[in-house]
């Protein structure tokens, strides 16, 4: 296990450490990732799996990294009466803009694919410190929020 610039041990190759750190520190396996446009991807969305992760998922909760490029559909009517749609920042400044990252629960769907787990996930108050391998592979920031809480029931995801 290597150490980071701050002297703290770096998580394993495809893992993330959850913060605030309980005792002992909790790790999750980051199985892969998905890049979405405009909205949060739905449950069942396939993931691009990182290499050599399959053999190490048996003892850690499995999550996926999601990159969302936020955009709003902007409809205009042309002089000839046709509708044109373009995507861009919300003209009213209400919707989220830019790019956001998050970890969401993932599971194996039985068809030999890793997908985003069923349910609708919300931020659960924890953040994850991604390993250098993950951040370099997909260009993600080092710290991302963890979306592991069902907003309807308040229950946290359990692997």
């Amino acid at each position: 296990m290597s150490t980071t610039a701050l002297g703290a041990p770096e998580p394993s190759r495809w893992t993330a450490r959850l913060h605030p750190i309980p005792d002992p520190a909790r790790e999750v396996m980051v199985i892969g990732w998905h890049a979405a446009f405009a909205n949060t991807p739905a449950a069942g969305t396939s993931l691009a799996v990182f290499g050599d992760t399959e053999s190490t998922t048996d003892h850690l909760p499995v999550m996926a990294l999601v990159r969302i490029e936020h955009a709003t559909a902007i409809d205009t009517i042309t002089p000839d009466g046709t509708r044109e749609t373009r995507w861009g920042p919300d003209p009213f400044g209400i919707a989220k803009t830019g790019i956001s990252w998050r970890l969401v629960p993932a599971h194996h769907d039985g068809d030999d694919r890793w997908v985003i787990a069923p349910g609708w996930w919300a931020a659960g108050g924890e953040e994850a410190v991604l390993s250098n391998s993950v951040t370099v592979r997909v260009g993600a920031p080092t710290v991302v929020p963890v979306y592991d809480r069902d907003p309807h029931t308040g229950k946290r995801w359990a692997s």
Side-chain angles (χ1 to χ4, degrees):
M1 183 176 281
S2 63
T3 57
T4 64
L6 299 174
E10 182 179 283
S12 304
R13 182 175 166 97
W14 301 116
T15 60
R17 241 189 220 134
L18 301 183
H19 285 263
I21 298 178
D23 190 20
R26 290 187 313 159
E27 282 189 333
V28 296
M29 171 61 61
V30 182
I31 195 73
W33 78 295
H34 178 78
F37 179 74
N39 295 308
T40 304
T45 300
S46 293
L47 302 168
V49 177
F50 296 137
D52 66 330
T53 54
E54 301 275 343
S55 62
T56 57
T57 60
D58 57 343
H59 67 286
L60 295 175
V62 180
M63 300 196 89
L65 185 61
V66 173
R67 175 190 185 272
I68 303 168
E69 182 178 350
H70 299 279
T72 300
I74 301 168
D75 292 330
T76 56
I77 305 298
T78 63
D80 67 358
T82 60
R83 178 194 289 183
E84 288 183 353
T85 301
R86 68 176 177 83
W87 291 88
D90 178 8
F92 303 108
I94 298 168
K96 203 173 205 177
T97 60
I99 294 173
S100 67
W101 294 85
R102 63 186 67 166
L103 275 182
V104 297
H107 76 129
H108 204 260
D109 74 348
D111 289 333
D112 208 24
R113 296 181 316 150
W114 283 95
V115 298
I116 294 174
W120 185 257
W121 305 106
E126 290 183 314
E127 292 182 324
V129 178
L130 300 172
S131 65
N132 191 46
S133 300
V134 173
T135 60
V136 168
R137 174 85 178 256
V138 298
T142 304
V143 178
V144 297
V146 177
Y147 278 59
D148 65 346
R149 185 179 63 83
D150 182 323
H152 302 293
T153 65
K155 292 183 180 178
R156 302 294 288 269
W157 172 73
S159 62

